Amino acid sequence: MSKQYAQTIQLIGGNIINISQVISPKINKNRLILNKIEYMDNITKCIKSGYNCLFSIENNEKSTIMDSELKTLVKAYRKLIICLEDLLQEIKGTPNIKIENLSTHFVNLEKIETELYLATMQMIEKINKQNK
């Protein structure tokens, strides 16, 4: 079972790494987002990948490891995907968007990052206990 936990952490972790690589937009000297279409495309890819990850976890591993630690991790990860969707809608709805307009979304992402970290640590502790 600890192998399944580790694979789940690895799957979510890989998606989080992808998100972290595209979440900070390039901005010009006026603090406007550059390459808005590319930025939106990258976020969209992260959202799709995130839902695929959730689908995989919830359907393929439900019967064996859907316990409280995994539910906590999945809940936090789902919040991350929803936050990305909100960010994307904000960007789509604003023609010339400044980085400051996205600050609320970035603050929310930081809060979710903490939730994900704590949930991951709980899973790792469970893995370590099972391996003793």
Side-chain angles (χ1 to χ4, degrees):
M1 186 180 308
S2 63
K3 183 177 179 179
Q4 289 173 315
Y5 282 115
Q7 288 172 338
T8 300
I9 292 170
Q10 186 176 22
L11 181 62
I12 289 175
N15 280 301
I16 291 171
I17 289 170
N18 290 338
I19 292 167
S20 70
Q21 292 173 343
V22 301
I23 199 65
S24 296
K26 295 176 182 137
I27 57 174
N28 67 15
K29 64 180 180 179
N30 295 325
R31 309 212 24 100
L32 292 171
I33 294 178
L34 297 171
N35 304 321
K36 182 178 168 182
I37 301 298
E38 179 184 351
Y39 185 56
M40 290 188 321
D41 288 346
N42 288 336
I43 293 172
T44 300
K45 288 176 190 172
C46 289
I47 292 168
K48 287 179 182 178
S49 177
Y51 277 119
N52 287 337
C53 176
L54 285 173
F55 180 81
S56 175
I57 292 167
E58 291 174 339
N59 291 312
N60 297 333
E61 301 175 3
K62 182 181 275 186
S63 62
T64 55
I65 63 168
M66 280 301 270
D67 58 11
S68 64
E69 291 86 1
L70 181 60
K71 286 179 182 177
T72 301
L73 181 62
V74 169
K75 182 179 177 184
Y77 187 65
R78 187 181 311 280
K79 282 183 184 179
L80 174 66
I81 303 307
I82 291 168
C83 189
L84 289 175
E85 289 176 324
D86 293 343
L87 174 64
L88 184 61
Q89 290 307 313
E90 178 83 23
I91 296 166
K92 283 181 178 178
T94 309
N96 295 314
I97 191 156
K98 289 190 172 191
I99 192 72
E100 292 83 6
N101 300 108
L102 305 178
S103 63
T104 301
H105 299 284
F106 292 133
V107 168
N108 289 339
L109 286 167
E110 287 177 4
K111 290 177 186 175
I112 296 167
E113 176 186 25
T114 301
E115 287 181 48
L116 283 164
Y117 173 77
L118 294 174
T120 302
M121 296 314 311
Q122 288 176 343
M123 295 255 317
I124 290 171
E125 284 178 25
K126 185 162 192 157
I127 291 168
N128 289 338
K129 285 179 184 177
Q130 288 180 350
N131 289 334
K132 286 185 180 182

